[in-house]
Amino acid sequence: MNQTPTHHTEPSRLFESRAARLRNDSLSTATAVYQWEFSDAPGEDCYLSTSSDQPPRVHRGRHPAPTTRLSISLRDHLLLLSGQQDPLTTFTTGRLRLSDGQGNPLPFPAVQRLLLLLLVEWHVTPESIAAIEASGRKLDNVTEIQRVKDLSREEFERHFASCGQPVIVEGPVKRWRASSFTPHTLRDTFGELPMSIFVRPASTEPAPQTARPTASQERTTSGRTYVQMTLREYIDTVLLNPPPLAPGELPPYLTANSLDASLMELIEYPPFFRPEAFIRPKLWLGPSGTVSHVHRDLIDNFLAQVWGRKHLRLFSPDQSRFLYPRRVDGNPFYEASDVDVSAPDFEKFPELRHARHIDCELRPGEMIFLPAGWWHYVRALDMSFSVNFFAVNQTPRVLTSRGAQHSGGNAEA
Ligand SMILES: O=C(O)CCC(=O)C(=O)O
């Protein structure tokens, strides 16, 4: 990884923003003590106490009877809070242990909730979703997605981030080392990396079935099926030799795999937010014809295109009422839509007729800013390599800008 966490060297400061967040969460009314135990720096241990009659508070040291213990190295904790490591990966690789006061492991749903509540900055609530829909730029005022060659941080903030307006920035990705790679050099250099490939949508999703590669292990997450294979196998059996597709089938798609440290050397963070705002960037790789069905992320996001073109259909956040949104278990930052925009069924989804959209094409070297709450449908027009950046460690800018009419989100730390 090319960045070392430098901000927030005083660990207790790290918790102040969590304490601020807990003030808005139902957990804050429960009496609880969250004890952080740093394996490599016990002198820095902290705990966060919440109770019904006092605001959440951060204390140094050890509490005699904590309700929850988080054991982690201080280094991992800094990497985690600076967005250079994912909370879930840190947990599943055993580098973060979560237990009750007696040291018993917590059930997984409790773990997921705690990870989101305590270890990432942005916290979605029904009020913050409503605020995003009310504050974001509406399509009435946008007839095409603006393209710019150069954009300073200030211009980005003033004209796009703070008003929740997408923009395509031409060129920055051409400077990445990734742009000098071909499918063959990518395979020969990074071929042994394990990858997870999306092969089958959940039965509740409107998406067509996906052609099946031959791979042994299957995994199901939120009803969707993935298979595991190395990057080499994916490049050889899908990217360079796309399998024959039955009518309506889609190619298997390498979606949203967190970048391995070795791949981090190939990319650069979007220069518009502090790098700590982002969780680990995600890799998307596939032949022409892959599709991501209409969904939205309740997080500011950048999608960067290394190879190939992608067609995007965008709907502004206020169009939700026409798109039949559906929450997906286990991911509060994500909402799917029940409609299939490539084969709209107006009988079943009559409101869809009223939805306004805007189309654009993302080309190699370009990066699009997708503000929190913008619905998007993405189809690869060519063999494609993309990387995306979710700014989970900050409140969507449309909610923190001075001009925001509503502020249903949390204040930024
Ligand atoms: O490129 C794709 O297929 C989808 C990307 C996406 O949904 C995202 O960046 O949020």
Side-chain angles (χ1 to χ4, degrees):
M1 186 55 211
N2 45 9
Q3 278 147 352
T4 310
T6 48
H7 76 303
H8 286 146
T9 44
E10 171 70 28
S12 59
R13 282 191 50 209
L14 298 173
F15 303 99
E16 295 296 346
S17 64
R18 273 68 191 163
R21 154 124 37 89
L22 282 164
R23 281 182 202 119
N24 295 332
D25 191 275
S26 56
L27 267 194
S28 65
T29 55
T31 299
V33 175
Y34 303 98
Q35 175 75 59
W36 269 259
E37 299 171 350
F38 296 114
S39 49
D40 53 348
E44 304 288 357
D45 288 350
C46 290
Y47 61 92
L48 184 64
S49 60
T50 62
S51 75
S52 51
D53 52 0
Q54 277 192 358
R57 298 223 342 248
V58 179
H59 317 255
R60 296 299 291 260
R62 294 251 174 156
H63 189 276
T67 39
T68 306
R69 291 175 198 273
L70 297 90
S71 311
I72 188 171
S73 72
L74 184 57
R75 180 179 160 71
D76 275 344
H77 195 238
L78 290 169
L79 284 169
L80 209 152
L81 291 178
S82 62
Q84 297 177 50
Q85 231 167 249
D86 278 342
L88 191 60
T89 311
T90 314
F91 174 78
T92 52
T93 53
R95 292 159 75 176
L96 163 66
R97 286 195 311 283
L98 284 166
S99 52
D100 66 14
Q102 284 71 49
N104 304 309
L106 297 178
F108 195 61
V111 167
Q112 276 182 308
R113 172 147 173 72
L114 279 173
L115 295 181
L116 291 174
L117 187 67
L118 298 173
L119 297 177
V120 298
E121 196 62 46
W122 168 227
H123 187 47
V124 177
T125 61
E127 295 75 29
S128 57
I129 297 177
I132 287 171
E133 290 181 1
S135 313
R137 186 53 63 93
K138 308 209 181 340
L139 274 182
D140 307 354
N141 309 325
V142 185
T143 50
E144 63 179 344
I145 300 301
Q146 208 171 321
R147 298 181 149 269
V148 294
K149 286 208 187 326
D150 288 308
L151 195 58
S152 70
R153 216 174 145 141
E154 292 68 33
E155 287 166 333
F156 172 74
E157 182 60 33
R158 183 153 14 103
H159 301 302
F160 303 102
S162 64
C163 27
Q165 169 144 339
V167 59
I168 293 176
V169 190
E170 296 174 345
V173 184
K174 288 205 180 92
R175 293 192 294 270
W176 292 6
R177 269 193 67 212
S179 293
S180 64
F181 276 74
T182 64
H184 290 96
T185 54
L186 196 66
R187 177 194 62 189
D188 295 344
T189 319
F190 300 104
E192 299 324 309
L193 291 175
M195 294 286 158
S196 159
I197 316 297
F198 172 57
V199 293
R200 196 165 54 238
S203 55
T204 46
E205 289 182 287
Q209 293 298 307
T210 307
R212 310 294 308 285
T214 43
S216 46
Q217 284 185 331
E218 280 198 354
R219 176 173 65 81
T220 303
T221 307
S222 301
R224 294 177 160 195
T225 308
Y226 296 81
V227 295
Q228 309 299 316
M229 58 173 76
T230 60
L231 184 61
R232 173 187 308 283
E233 283 172 298
Y234 183 73
I235 291 179
D236 283 341
T237 61
V238 179
L239 199 68
L240 295 175
N241 292 294
L245 302 179
E249 260 187 352
L250 297 173
Y253 190 9
L254 191 162
T255 54
N257 278 243
S258 290
L259 288 193
D260 181 78
S262 54
L263 292 171
M264 291 296 296
E265 304 298 326
L266 307 190
I267 62 131
E268 290 170 22
Y269 279 89
F272 307 111
F273 293 148
R274 60 199 168 99
E276 295 83 2
F278 300 104
I279 53 164
R280 194 88 176 191
K282 313 276 184 201
L283 169 66
W284 304 72
L285 192 67
S288 171
T290 59
V291 167
S292 291
H293 278 273
V294 187
H295 69 278
R296 66 171 173 177
D297 306 292
L298 295 155
I299 317 163
D300 285 343
N301 177 25
F302 293 86
L303 177 63
Q305 202 54 15
V306 182
W307 311 326
R309 296 160 307 145
K310 274 182 169 166
H311 165 248
L312 276 73
R313 174 157 293 185
L314 305 179
F315 302 82
S316 53
D318 64 307
Q319 300 293 295
S320 300
R321 61 193 189 280
F322 307 129
L323 292 172
Y324 301 85
R326 182 166 38 85
R327 305 286 309 176
V328 176
D329 282 354
N331 187 350
F333 303 110
Y334 179 88
E335 270 184 358
S337 160
D338 274 342
V339 305
D340 178 357
V341 294
S342 57
D345 181 343
F346 295 117
E347 298 239 315
K348 195 165 170 198
F349 303 111
E351 294 301 317
L352 182 59
R353 282 182 201 286
H354 308 296
R356 298 176 64 130
H357 67 258
I358 195 161
D359 287 320
C360 64
E361 195 174 286
L362 194 64
R363 304 180 191 131
E366 299 180 343
M367 181 183 278
I368 186 168
F369 170 57
L370 289 170
W374 276 73
W375 296 91
H376 45 289
Y377 163 90
V378 184
R379 175 182 285 272
L381 302 174
D382 303 307
M383 178 195 291
S384 162
F385 171 0
S386 326
V387 175
N388 92 298
F389 301 83
F390 287 128
V392 179
N393 285 321
Q394 71 180 24
T395 302
R397 300 303 295 153
V398 73
L399 296 183
T400 54
S401 69
R402 278 211 227 139
Q405 300 292 304
H406 303 263
S407 62
N410 323 83
E412 195 179 6

